[in-house]
Amino acid sequence: MTSCKASMVATTIATTIATTLAALAPIGNASAADSLEEALAESQWGLDFRHRIELVDEDGLSEDAEASTLRTRLHLKTGRWR
């Protein structure tokens, strides 16, 4: 792996970790709502990222291969309702 590729991988990993930690910040409280409207108002949104990078340097081939993907997932957790 060249130093340029290693630097790219390290930067990508650091960015992914920072983004994930920011998305995991705690929000809201855990008490049950008295009405459905209150439960919906206390809903929590979440955002997840999963970065994947693949580098291939195979003998016998003249070119190296690189692939980088980022899976992004948005989810909603409604508030508790009794």
Side-chain angles (χ1 to χ4, degrees), residues 41-71:
E42 295 175 1
S43 297
Q44 298 176 16
W45 290 93
L47 188 59
D48 297 324
F49 297 99
R50 179 176 177 221
H51 182 258
R52 179 178 172 191
I53 189 163
E54 185 174 342
L55 305 171
V56 177
D57 182 12
E58 192 170 319
D59 292 335
L61 296 178
S62 62
E63 295 184 17
D64 296 339
E66 298 177 14
S68 177
T69 59
L70 179 64
R71 182 190 74 182

Side-chain angles (χ1 to χ4, degrees), residues 12-50:
T12 303
I13 290 171
T15 302
T16 303
I17 291 170
T19 305
T20 302
L21 290 175
L24 293 176
I27 304 170
N29 66 33
S31 63
D34 292 326
S35 68
L36 179 59
E37 291 81 16
E38 289 178 10
L40 291 175
E42 295 175 1
S43 297
Q44 298 176 16
W45 290 93
L47 188 59
D48 297 324
F49 297 99
R50 179 176 177 221

